[in-house]
Amino acid sequence: MTVLIEAKGLTCGYGKLPVVRDLDLTVSAGEVVCLLGANGAGKTTTLLTIAGALPRLGGSVLVGGKPAPAAAHVVARRGLALVPEGRGLFYRLTVAENLRLRRHRRSRVSVDDVLAHFPVLTGLRGRRAGLLSGGEQQMLALAGALVADPDVILLDEMSLGLAPIIVERLLPIVRTIADERGMGVLLVEQHILAALTVADRGYVMAHGSVVAEGTAADLRRDAELLEASYLGDKTAVAEGLV
Ligand code: ATP
């Protein structure tokens, strides 16, 4: 399997202050990998740094086998798409306009190809993004990343503010796309069990470090310990997992 993202000893944070230390992580083609952990564990910081939106303070990140450039737009050209928390949509533009804007000349997928995964959006092409429901907006954010035809996609808290039922519909779409296109996915998600149902592997972070990692099946079996990690009980998790 082609390794699409490889972080080694990654230390990152804000200004000179590290909030994530010495993190090792990989995502390969066709893999859905989830990054779990309590609020403030460092998941978003990790995603932003891999995407080139925050500078590295130490360690290395390879994207597509080459050192990741230190600028988000250059990393994007390497085939990495980030769907940030808060969705990053143009709310005054229509669904179709949002998608056309995100598509670039080198994309091998059309807007229609992507919409085939989101039948709900097909009927809403002419509607302004700002008038969509929260779930529809999240679908549009995901669809917008996909029309850029990335090799790997980073999804930050897709479920934020959404009903669990919407999350349960969106996550299988992510799985299908990874399977059909061989795309790699790195997923930050608060709905642990829903994420582990579609994921291949996962990493659990606490206080800026990876405290456990394993297959999704193994992590599902340790769901109680995972819940403990969300409460910040690093020792319990470190002793019980890995
Ligand atoms: P959440 O689910 O709340 O987003 P997270 O695991 O994604 O949690 P991060 O957002 O990566 O956590 O935050 C990690 C740490 O970095 C936290 O202690 C947070 O307070 C700090 N932090 C986040 N953003 C900034 C910032 N812009 N400047 C300084 N510190 C920040």
Side-chain angles (χ1 to χ4, degrees):
M1 264 198 301
T2 315
V3 179
L4 299 173
I5 297 176
E6 184 171 14
K8 269 199 187 146
L10 177 64
T11 295
C12 52
Y14 302 88
K16 291 208 163 100
L17 187 75
V19 297
V20 172
R21 286 184 187 82
D22 205 19
L23 175 131
D24 292 341
L25 170 153
T26 62
V27 180
S28 295
E31 249 194 337
V32 177
V33 176
C34 57
L35 196 52
L36 306 169
N39 283 347
K43 307 178 300 291
T44 298
T45 307
T46 302
L47 251 50
L48 290 175
T49 307
I50 292 171
L54 281 176
R56 282 190 303 276
L57 299 175
S60 63
V61 177
L62 303 182
V63 173
K66 294 185 196 150
H73 65 286
V74 190
V75 180
R77 264 188 247 135
R78 283 276 180 80
L80 182 146
L82 170 71
V83 180
E85 222 177 286
R87 298 170 193 154
L89 298 173
F90 295 97
Y91 290 99
R92 286 167 167 274
L93 301 185
T94 65
V95 166
E97 286 165 344
N98 266 278
L99 292 176
R100 281 203 297 271
L101 261 181
R102 297 294 300 274
R103 194 170 178 276
H104 52 68
R105 268 174 289 134
R106 281 171 292 114
S107 281
R108 293 157 300 172
V109 288
S110 67
V111 167
D112 286 340
D113 291 337
V114 171
L115 283 178
H117 292 289
F118 306 92
V120 175
L121 289 181
T122 311
L124 298 171
R125 281 166 170 266
R127 185 164 300 180
R128 280 190 188 186
L131 299 178
L132 301 177
S133 69
E136 290 159 357
Q137 286 180 353
Q138 190 58 63
M139 280 182 203
L140 181 56
L142 181 55
L146 294 172
V147 287
D149 192 15
D151 299 320
V152 60
I153 191 165
L154 310 183
L155 290 170
D156 198 1
E157 302 245 4
M158 272 207 313
S159 61
L160 206 70
L162 299 181
I165 180 84
I166 307 285
V167 183
E168 281 157 25
R169 276 189 213 145
L170 277 171
L171 286 172
I173 298 176
V174 170
R175 176 76 260 175
T176 303
I177 292 165
D179 290 339
E180 287 182 358
R181 300 196 190 169
M183 204 174 65
V185 179
L186 183 57
L187 182 76
V188 168
E189 185 50 68
Q190 290 289 344
H191 291 79
I192 312 172
L193 282 174
L196 289 172
T197 305
V198 301
D200 297 295
R201 291 190 296 117
Y203 296 88
V204 183
M205 291 184 76
H207 309 296
S209 303
V210 170
V211 292
E213 61 178 285
T215 64
D218 285 346
L219 292 175
R220 269 201 304 273
R221 276 195 288 277
D222 290 315
E224 264 179 43
L225 284 162
L226 276 174
E227 301 284 353
S229 87
Y230 275 58
L231 298 172
D233 191 347
K234 184 173 174 173
T235 322
V237 176
E239 282 170 1
L241 294 169
V242 189

mmCIF file of all heavy atoms in Angstrom, residues 13-15 17 19-20 36-46 48 54 85 156-157 160 188 190 205 208, ligand 1:
data_model
loop_
_atom_site.group_PDB
_atom_site.id
_atom_site.type_symbol
_atom_site.label_atom_id
_atom_site.label_comp_id
_atom_site.label_asym_id
_atom_site.label_seq_id
_atom_site.Cartn_x
_atom_site.Cartn_y
_atom_site.Cartn_z
ATOM 1 N N GLY A 13 2.633 23.168 17.367
ATOM 2 C CA GLY A 13 1.862 23.965 18.313
ATOM 3 C C GLY A 13 1.689 25.378 17.801
ATOM 4 O O GLY A 13 1.654 25.611 16.590
ATOM 5 N N TYR A 14 1.634 26.310 18.726
ATOM 6 C CA TYR A 14 1.330 27.695 18.373
ATOM 7 C C TYR A 14 2.475 28.588 18.853
ATOM 8 O O TYR A 14 2.874 28.500 20.014
ATOM 9 C CB TYR A 14 -0.005 28.097 18.989
ATOM 10 C CG TYR A 14 -1.104 27.168 18.518
ATOM 11 C CD1 TYR A 14 -1.382 25.989 19.202
ATOM 12 C CD2 TYR A 14 -1.801 27.435 17.348
ATOM 13 C CE1 TYR A 14 -2.354 25.110 18.749
ATOM 14 C CE2 TYR A 14 -2.762 26.566 16.882
ATOM 15 C CZ TYR A 14 -3.045 25.408 17.586
ATOM 16 O OH TYR A 14 -3.992 24.537 17.111
ATOM 17 N N GLY A 15 3.006 29.418 17.974
ATOM 18 C CA GLY A 15 4.200 30.183 18.315
ATOM 19 C C GLY A 15 5.312 29.184 18.589
ATOM 20 O O GLY A 15 5.518 28.241 17.833
ATOM 21 N N LEU A 17 5.332 27.396 21.358
ATOM 22 C CA LEU A 17 4.792 26.502 22.387
ATOM 23 C C LEU A 17 4.273 25.201 21.780
ATOM 24 O O LEU A 17 3.268 25.200 21.074
ATOM 25 C CB LEU A 17 3.641 27.224 23.099
ATOM 26 C CG LEU A 17 3.053 26.521 24.310
ATOM 27 C CD1 LEU A 17 4.003 26.640 25.505
ATOM 28 C CD2 LEU A 17 1.688 27.123 24.639
ATOM 29 N N VAL A 19 2.184 21.904 21.494
ATOM 30 C CA VAL A 19 1.034 21.259 22.147
ATOM 31 C C VAL A 19 0.950 19.785 21.745
ATOM 32 O O VAL A 19 0.314 18.994 22.425
ATOM 33 C CB VAL A 19 -0.313 21.978 21.876
ATOM 34 C CG1 VAL A 19 -0.325 23.379 22.422
ATOM 35 C CG2 VAL A 19 -0.673 21.988 20.424
ATOM 36 N N VAL A 20 1.616 19.421 20.651
ATOM 37 C CA VAL A 20 1.706 18.015 20.243
ATOM 38 C C VAL A 20 3.185 17.666 20.223
ATOM 39 O O VAL A 20 3.996 18.427 19.691
ATOM 40 C CB VAL A 20 1.088 17.808 18.844
ATOM 41 C CG1 VAL A 20 1.351 16.400 18.325
ATOM 42 C CG2 VAL A 20 -0.413 18.093 18.877
ATOM 43 N N LEU A 36 -8.430 9.965 17.588
ATOM 44 C CA LEU A 36 -9.414 10.126 18.649
ATOM 45 C C LEU A 36 -8.770 10.781 19.862
ATOM 46 O O LEU A 36 -7.535 10.772 19.994
ATOM 47 C CB LEU A 36 -9.958 8.749 19.051
ATOM 48 C CG LEU A 36 -10.527 7.887 17.914
ATOM 49 C CD1 LEU A 36 -10.788 6.467 18.392
ATOM 50 C CD2 LEU A 36 -11.803 8.505 17.352
ATOM 51 N N GLY A 37 -9.608 11.294 20.752
ATOM 52 C CA GLY A 37 -9.070 11.886 21.986
ATOM 53 C C GLY A 37 -9.943 13.026 22.466
ATOM 54 O O GLY A 37 -10.761 13.560 21.714
ATOM 55 N N ALA A 38 -9.737 13.393 23.718
ATOM 56 C CA ALA A 38 -10.569 14.420 24.354
ATOM 57 C C ALA A 38 -10.366 15.788 23.706
ATOM 58 O O ALA A 38 -9.395 16.003 22.978
ATOM 59 C CB ALA A 38 -10.196 14.498 25.826
ATOM 60 N N ASN A 39 -11.267 16.702 24.010
ATOM 61 C CA ASN A 39 -11.080 18.097 23.594
ATOM 62 C C ASN A 39 -9.730 18.577 24.093
ATOM 63 O O ASN A 39 -9.363 18.338 25.241
ATOM 64 C CB ASN A 39 -12.149 18.996 24.237
ATOM 65 C CG ASN A 39 -13.476 18.863 23.545
ATOM 66 O OD1 ASN A 39 -13.568 18.297 22.456
ATOM 67 N ND2 ASN A 39 -14.504 19.374 24.184
ATOM 68 N N GLY A 40 -9.008 19.237 23.204
ATOM 69 C CA GLY A 40 -7.722 19.799 23.622
ATOM 70 C C GLY A 40 -6.569 18.814 23.559
ATOM 71 O O GLY A 40 -5.444 19.146 23.917
ATOM 72 N N ALA A 41 -6.816 17.586 23.091
ATOM 73 C CA ALA A 41 -5.750 16.569 23.043
ATOM 74 C C ALA A 41 -4.700 16.900 21.989
ATOM 75 O O ALA A 41 -3.572 16.406 22.046
ATOM 76 C CB ALA A 41 -6.342 15.195 22.776
ATOM 77 N N GLY A 42 -5.077 17.693 20.977
ATOM 78 C CA GLY A 42 -4.115 18.073 19.945
ATOM 79 C C GLY A 42 -4.458 17.556 18.555
ATOM 80 O O GLY A 42 -3.626 17.606 17.648
ATOM 81 N N LYS A 43 -5.670 17.093 18.361
ATOM 82 C CA LYS A 43 -6.056 16.477 17.077
ATOM 83 C C LYS A 43 -6.089 17.513 15.949
ATOM 84 O O LYS A 43 -5.511 17.311 14.884
ATOM 85 C CB LYS A 43 -7.428 15.786 17.216
ATOM 86 C CG LYS A 43 -7.491 14.811 18.365
ATOM 87 C CD LYS A 43 -8.846 14.165 18.527
ATOM 88 C CE LYS A 43 -9.992 15.132 18.795
ATOM 89 N NZ LYS A 43 -9.932 15.791 20.124
ATOM 90 N N THR A 44 -6.781 18.630 16.204
ATOM 91 C CA THR A 44 -6.869 19.676 15.174
ATOM 92 C C THR A 44 -5.485 20.242 14.858
ATOM 93 O O THR A 44 -5.138 20.460 13.694
ATOM 94 C CB THR A 44 -7.816 20.812 15.642
ATOM 95 O OG1 THR A 44 -9.112 20.246 15.816
ATOM 96 C CG2 THR A 44 -7.889 21.943 14.645
ATOM 97 N N THR A 45 -4.688 20.450 15.896
ATOM 98 C CA THR A 45 -3.332 20.975 15.698
ATOM 99 C C THR A 45 -2.535 20.034 14.794
ATOM 100 O O THR A 45 -1.809 20.481 13.892
ATOM 101 C CB THR A 45 -2.637 21.125 17.078
ATOM 102 O OG1 THR A 45 -3.490 21.904 17.927
ATOM 103 C CG2 THR A 45 -1.284 21.790 16.956
ATOM 104 N N THR A 46 -2.677 18.737 15.005
ATOM 105 C CA THR A 46 -1.975 17.745 14.179
ATOM 106 C C THR A 46 -2.423 17.857 12.722
ATOM 107 O O THR A 46 -1.602 17.915 11.799
ATOM 108 C CB THR A 46 -2.269 16.321 14.716
ATOM 109 O OG1 THR A 46 -1.857 16.257 16.074
ATOM 110 C CG2 THR A 46 -1.543 15.260 13.908
ATOM 111 N N LEU A 48 -3.865 20.389 11.153
ATOM 112 C CA LEU A 48 -3.466 21.669 10.540
ATOM 113 C C LEU A 48 -1.985 21.668 10.182
ATOM 114 O O LEU A 48 -1.579 22.234 9.170
ATOM 115 C CB LEU A 48 -3.785 22.831 11.485
ATOM 116 C CG LEU A 48 -5.268 23.143 11.690
ATOM 117 C CD1 LEU A 48 -5.445 24.238 12.750
ATOM 118 C CD2 LEU A 48 -5.930 23.583 10.384
ATOM 119 N N LEU A 54 -0.048 25.148 9.806
ATOM 120 C CA LEU A 54 0.731 25.552 10.992
ATOM 121 C C LEU A 54 2.163 25.063 10.779
ATOM 122 O O LEU A 54 2.368 23.978 10.225
ATOM 123 C CB LEU A 54 0.189 24.862 12.254
ATOM 124 C CG LEU A 54 -1.063 25.417 12.915
ATOM 125 C CD1 LEU A 54 -1.474 24.513 14.079
ATOM 126 C CD2 LEU A 54 -0.825 26.831 13.430
ATOM 127 N N GLU A 85 -12.767 22.139 10.621
ATOM 128 C CA GLU A 85 -13.888 22.315 11.531
ATOM 129 C C GLU A 85 -14.565 23.629 11.115
ATOM 130 O O GLU A 85 -13.872 24.609 10.860
ATOM 131 C CB GLU A 85 -13.307 22.482 12.946
ATOM 132 C CG GLU A 85 -14.028 21.745 14.028
ATOM 133 C CD GLU A 85 -13.330 21.932 15.365
ATOM 134 O OE1 GLU A 85 -12.262 21.321 15.549
ATOM 135 O OE2 GLU A 85 -13.853 22.687 16.181
ATOM 136 N N ASP A 156 -11.874 17.182 9.755
ATOM 137 C CA ASP A 156 -11.868 17.591 11.156
ATOM 138 C C ASP A 156 -13.285 17.726 11.690
ATOM 139 O O ASP A 156 -14.026 18.621 11.280
ATOM 140 C CB ASP A 156 -11.112 18.918 11.321
ATOM 141 C CG ASP A 156 -10.702 19.141 12.766
ATOM 142 O OD1 ASP A 156 -10.992 18.267 13.607
ATOM 143 O OD2 ASP A 156 -10.092 20.180 13.054
ATOM 144 N N GLU A 157 -13.654 16.845 12.607
ATOM 145 C CA GLU A 157 -14.941 16.929 13.317
ATOM 146 C C GLU A 157 -16.108 17.183 12.385
ATOM 147 O O GLU A 157 -16.836 18.171 12.546
ATOM 148 C CB GLU A 157 -14.889 18.050 14.364
ATOM 149 C CG GLU A 157 -13.779 17.849 15.349
ATOM 150 C CD GLU A 157 -14.267 17.599 16.753
ATOM 151 O OE1 GLU A 157 -15.483 17.513 16.950
ATOM 152 O OE2 GLU A 157 -13.411 17.457 17.623
ATOM 153 N N LEU A 160 -19.530 17.908 14.077
ATOM 154 C CA LEU A 160 -19.753 19.019 14.995
ATOM 155 C C LEU A 160 -21.120 19.674 14.753
ATOM 156 O O LEU A 160 -21.401 20.147 13.659
ATOM 157 C CB LEU A 160 -18.641 20.048 14.825
ATOM 158 C CG LEU A 160 -18.359 20.908 16.050
ATOM 159 C CD1 LEU A 160 -17.710 20.065 17.146
ATOM 160 C CD2 LEU A 160 -17.472 22.077 15.675
ATOM 161 N N VAL A 188 -10.841 13.072 12.199
ATOM 162 C CA VAL A 188 -10.984 13.420 13.617
ATOM 163 C C VAL A 188 -12.467 13.385 13.929
ATOM 164 O O VAL A 188 -13.259 14.019 13.233
ATOM 165 C CB VAL A 188 -10.419 14.831 13.912
ATOM 166 C CG1 VAL A 188 -10.830 15.299 15.302
ATOM 167 C CG2 VAL A 188 -8.905 14.837 13.800
ATOM 168 N N GLN A 190 -15.592 12.912 17.146
ATOM 169 C CA GLN A 190 -15.994 12.737 18.550
ATOM 170 C C GLN A 190 -16.881 11.503 18.743
ATOM 171 O O GLN A 190 -16.942 10.941 19.823
ATOM 172 C CB GLN A 190 -16.768 13.968 19.044
ATOM 173 C CG GLN A 190 -15.929 15.216 19.197
ATOM 174 C CD GLN A 190 -14.966 15.150 20.364
ATOM 175 O OE1 GLN A 190 -15.096 14.315 21.254
ATOM 176 N NE2 GLN A 190 -13.970 16.019 20.353
ATOM 177 N N MET A 205 -5.161 10.096 21.127
ATOM 178 C CA MET A 205 -4.274 11.121 21.669
ATOM 179 C C MET A 205 -4.768 11.592 23.027
ATOM 180 O O MET A 205 -5.974 11.658 23.272
ATOM 181 C CB MET A 205 -4.234 12.350 20.740
ATOM 182 C CG MET A 205 -3.541 12.086 19.426
ATOM 183 S SD MET A 205 -3.437 13.604 18.448
ATOM 184 C CE MET A 205 -2.112 14.470 19.314
ATOM 185 N N GLY A 208 -1.576 15.864 23.955
ATOM 186 C CA GLY A 208 -0.565 16.138 22.935
ATOM 187 C C GLY A 208 0.274 14.951 22.501
ATOM 188 O O GLY A 208 1.203 15.109 21.713
HETATM 189 P P1 ATP B 1 -10.981 19.881 20.021
HETATM 190 O O1 ATP B 1 -11.790 18.660 19.856
HETATM 191 O O2 ATP B 1 -11.408 20.730 21.176
HETATM 192 O O3 ATP B 1 -10.742 20.667 18.756
HETATM 193 P P2 ATP B 1 -8.265 18.959 19.724
HETATM 194 O O4 ATP B 1 -7.789 17.619 20.179
HETATM 195 O O5 ATP B 1 -8.480 19.154 18.277
HETATM 196 O O6 ATP B 1 -9.567 19.329 20.523
HETATM 197 P P3 ATP B 1 -6.535 21.198 19.545
HETATM 198 O O7 ATP B 1 -7.571 22.108 18.983
HETATM 199 O O8 ATP B 1 -5.493 20.670 18.642
HETATM 200 O O9 ATP B 1 -7.223 19.993 20.289
HETATM 201 O O10 ATP B 1 -5.847 21.963 20.771
HETATM 202 C C1 ATP B 1 -4.707 21.439 21.460
HETATM 203 C C2 ATP B 1 -4.218 22.471 22.453
HETATM 204 O O11 ATP B 1 -3.754 23.626 21.732
HETATM 205 C C3 ATP B 1 -5.271 22.953 23.432
HETATM 206 O O12 ATP B 1 -4.669 23.031 24.693
HETATM 207 C C4 ATP B 1 -5.640 24.327 22.940
HETATM 208 O O13 ATP B 1 -5.980 25.174 24.004
HETATM 209 C C5 ATP B 1 -4.361 24.798 22.263
HETATM 210 N N1 ATP B 1 -4.671 25.722 21.150
HETATM 211 C C6 ATP B 1 -5.557 25.511 20.160
HETATM 212 N N2 ATP B 1 -5.576 26.550 19.296
HETATM 213 C C7 ATP B 1 -4.669 27.444 19.774
HETATM 214 C C8 ATP B 1 -4.216 28.735 19.328
HETATM 215 N N3 ATP B 1 -4.693 29.307 18.216
HETATM 216 N N4 ATP B 1 -3.281 29.354 20.066
HETATM 217 C C9 ATP B 1 -2.768 28.782 21.190
HETATM 218 N N5 ATP B 1 -3.153 27.564 21.654
HETATM 219 C C10 ATP B 1 -4.085 26.915 20.962
#
